[in-house]
Amino acid sequence: AEERRDSFASRNQEGFRHKAVMEELKTLTRDKEHESLMLKWAGEDDAKAYIAEVEQDRRDSLAFRNAEGRCHREIEESQRHEKVQEAHEEEEIKAACQADVDNYKRECAERDRNSLCFGRKEANIQRMEEEAKRQNDYDKDQESRALDTAARSDVKKYLETCKTRKRLSLAFRAKEKNRHACWEKKQAERKREEKHRDTRDRALDSLYVELAQEKEKARIALDNLRHADCTFSKNPFAALLDNDATLGKPYWRR
């Protein structure tokens, strides 16, 4: 009966130690899961911030292109207005010329009716009209050249604006590429640090286990020396050498 009670007590103690070990393992597992979730959430927050930044850059690009389109439309509207104004002026000149022609026909009819003495006067009038026409043609040619020069200047400015916008776009893409490369480098460095920390923690755990085993061996040796008889017929370290299970485990797991 005494042996049975001792067996029950030993098994209860073993059960308590096993339960404590299991609780410790569960606690370590929960800590690791919590750390993994924190890392996961941090990564998701970084990804969301990067996506928001990309969306803002896209919106800025769209706004810039809309402004460029509006400027281009304003330039086209100005050119169209100038063409309409020029056509209106040409119509007025044509109407004035037609009026002059009608007046000239009436004058010719009156001259024919009155007499031939107005020939010299009519010749002078004709020369004056030709001179006015040449002057009018010259003025129109000068105005057309001025309009062509202004149009070429506007086209040149627009091409320079397009080149500047293209350079800015290339610089922006290069900046984004460098930023992404830096981010990838930081991620790789963080992974290396985590791996190094895990390896260091494993080495420390192994070292602590070995130290605990050495302490247990020393304690058993001291106990044997205290309780051993003062004879040389019995080795005080026999229990330590024969008990392989005891040597293979630290004292808190027995």
Side-chain angles (χ1 to χ4, degrees):
E2 184 67 26
E3 292 179 357
R4 188 174 183 181
R5 283 194 299 271
D6 293 338
S7 177
F8 281 140
S10 176
R11 281 183 287 178
N12 288 333
Q13 292 177 0
E14 186 67 26
F16 288 147
R17 285 195 295 270
H18 182 71
K19 185 177 181 180
V21 171
M22 293 303 295
E23 288 295 331
E24 183 180 358
L25 291 175
K26 288 180 180 179
T27 302
L28 292 175
T29 304
R30 284 195 297 269
D31 292 339
K32 288 184 179 179
E33 289 177 354
H34 178 71
E35 183 179 1
S36 177
L37 288 175
M38 293 297 293
L39 292 175
K40 179 183 177 183
W41 293 337
E44 290 176 354
D45 292 338
D46 293 339
K48 289 179 181 178
Y50 178 72
I51 291 172
E53 184 178 357
V54 171
E55 291 295 333
Q56 183 63 34
D57 293 339
R58 185 178 297 171
R59 287 193 293 272
D60 294 340
S61 178
L62 289 174
F64 179 77
R65 284 183 284 175
N66 289 334
E68 286 295 324
R70 184 166 56 254
C71 181
H72 186 66
R73 288 193 297 273
E74 289 176 356
I75 292 173
E76 290 180 349
E77 183 65 22
S78 177
Q79 292 178 352
R80 188 185 68 80
H81 181 72
E82 290 176 357
K83 288 181 180 179
V84 171
Q85 186 67 26
E86 183 179 351
H88 179 68
E89 291 176 358
E90 289 180 356
E91 289 295 332
E92 289 181 351
I93 293 171
K94 287 181 180 179
C97 292
Q98 188 64 36
D100 293 337
V101 171
D102 294 336
N103 291 330
Y104 176 71
K105 287 182 179 179
R106 285 193 296 271
E107 289 174 358
C108 289
E110 185 177 0
R111 182 197 58 191
D112 292 337
R113 284 192 302 270
N114 292 328
S115 69
L116 296 176
C117 66
F118 296 101
R120 182 178 293 177
K121 184 179 179 179
E122 186 64 27
N124 291 332
I125 292 172
Q126 186 176 3
R127 286 194 297 273
M128 290 175 64
E129 289 178 350
E130 290 176 356
E131 184 66 22
K133 186 177 180 181
R134 284 195 297 271
Q135 185 65 33
N136 191 16
D137 293 337
Y138 178 77
D139 293 339
K140 289 170 66 176
D141 184 68
Q142 291 297 322
E143 184 178 1
S144 178
R145 289 181 179 179
L147 291 174
D148 291 337
T149 303
R152 290 192 186 94
S153 179
D154 292 338
V155 171
K156 185 176 180 181
K157 290 180 179 179
Y158 177 71
L159 292 175
E160 290 177 356
T161 303
C162 291
K163 290 179 180 179
T164 303
R165 185 171 67 251
K166 186 176 181 181
R167 287 194 297 270
L168 291 175
S169 177
L170 290 173
F172 176 76
R173 283 184 284 176
K175 183 178 179 181
E176 285 297 318
K177 185 176 180 181
N178 291 333
R179 183 182 299 172
H180 187 67
C182 291
W183 180 81
E184 289 181 348
K185 185 177 179 180
K186 289 181 179 178
Q187 292 296 324
E189 185 66 23
R190 188 178 68 181
K191 289 182 179 178
R192 285 195 297 271
E193 289 178 359
E194 290 177 355
K195 185 176 180 181
H196 176 70
R197 187 167 56 252
D198 183 69
T199 304
R200 185 186 61 190
D201 292 340
R202 290 176 182 274
L204 289 174
D205 290 340
S206 178
L207 179 60
Y208 291 153
V209 169
E210 290 178 0
L211 289 173
Q213 289 178 354
E214 292 296 330
K215 286 182 179 180
E216 183 63 17
K217 290 178 181 180
R219 188 186 66 81
I220 293 171
L222 289 174
D223 290 339
N224 290 329
L225 286 174
R226 288 193 193 101
H227 300 293
D229 296 330
C230 296
T231 61
F232 295 97
S233 61
K234 183 179 180 181
N235 188 359
F237 299 100
L240 181 64
L241 296 174
D242 294 336
N243 194 353
D244 295 335
T246 302
L247 293 176
K249 295 183 179 179
Y251 67 90
W252 64 81
R253 295 193 178 181
R254 293 178 191 171

